[in-house]
Amino acid sequence: MADCIFCKIIAGEIPSVKIYEDEHVFAFMDIMPLSKGHTLIVPKTHRAYVYDLTPDEAANLFSVVPKIAAAIKETFEPVGMNLLNNNGTQAGQSVHHFHLHFIPRYGQSDGFGAKWVTKEKEFTTERIQELAGQVKGKLG
């Protein structure tokens, strides 16, 4: 896409700090990192959301995820790592080219946090089973 910032980075039209590239995947350091080593990985083919990835595109991308995560872990020695993907504006996606964040964690006060508010009263075991059945029906 002509106006996609990640497509422009992949094409070399916008500079980046690349850490990995092959014929299908491009990985680079985030320019507004949440922690030391914060990295993005993107497919070279423009796909806005995870739902748009073909099985081959997803396989190519996720086949290098462990390699990149291990290199980040070995280099920076974080105590953990979040892998994060936002799909859609309401989910926090600001660049609409599928991307996965590798966010190394160095402790509870490293600037990144996610708070889960569970709804166990709304989602009973029976309701969860019903929802799972709906999803399974779409999978065939």
Side-chain angles (χ1 to χ4, degrees), residues 73-89:
K73 180 181 179 192
E74 184 178 333
T75 302
F76 301 114
E77 299 180 346
V79 296
M81 186 178 311
N82 288 96
L83 300 182
L84 175 69
N85 169 250
N86 301 321
N87 276 273
T89 304

Side-chain angles (χ1 to χ4, degrees), residues 118-124:
T118 61
K119 299 184 178 193
E120 58 275 344
K121 290 182 182 176
E122 180 180 343
F123 295 106
T124 63

Side-chain angles (χ1 to χ4, degrees), residues 16-21 26-29 37 39-40 68 71-72:
S16 68
V17 181
K18 177 176 61 174
I19 65 162
Y20 179 86
E21 181 177 14
F26 195 93
F28 55 100
M29 303 299 284
T39 300
L40 303 177
I68 292 170
I72 292 169

Side-chain angles (χ1 to χ4, degrees), residues 122-135:
E122 180 180 343
F123 295 106
T124 63
T125 300
E126 294 79 18
R127 179 70 175 134
I128 292 169
Q129 289 173 341
E130 177 188 326
L131 296 170
Q134 292 173 2
V135 173

Side-chain angles (χ1 to χ4, degrees), residues 33-113:
L34 297 175
S35 67
K36 180 175 60 178
H38 182 169
T39 300
L40 303 177
I41 183 172
V42 300
K44 285 188 168 181
T45 302
H46 181 86
R47 300 287 185 239
Y49 312 108
V50 68
Y51 336 104
D52 300 333
L53 295 172
T54 67
D56 284 343
E57 290 165 345
N60 290 328
L61 186 105
F62 284 96
S63 71
V64 297
V65 164
K67 179 179 183 173
I68 292 170
I72 292 169
K73 180 181 179 192
E74 184 178 333
T75 302
F76 301 114
E77 299 180 346
V79 296
M81 186 178 311
N82 288 96
L83 300 182
L84 175 69
N85 169 250
N86 301 321
N87 276 273
T89 304
Q90 291 299 317
Q93 186 176 11
S94 59
V95 177
H96 293 274
H97 182 127
F98 177 84
H99 57 287
L100 183 63
H101 294 260
F102 295 77
I103 305 169
R105 300 300 305 276
Y106 301 97
Q108 294 298 317
S109 61
D110 61 8
F112 180 77

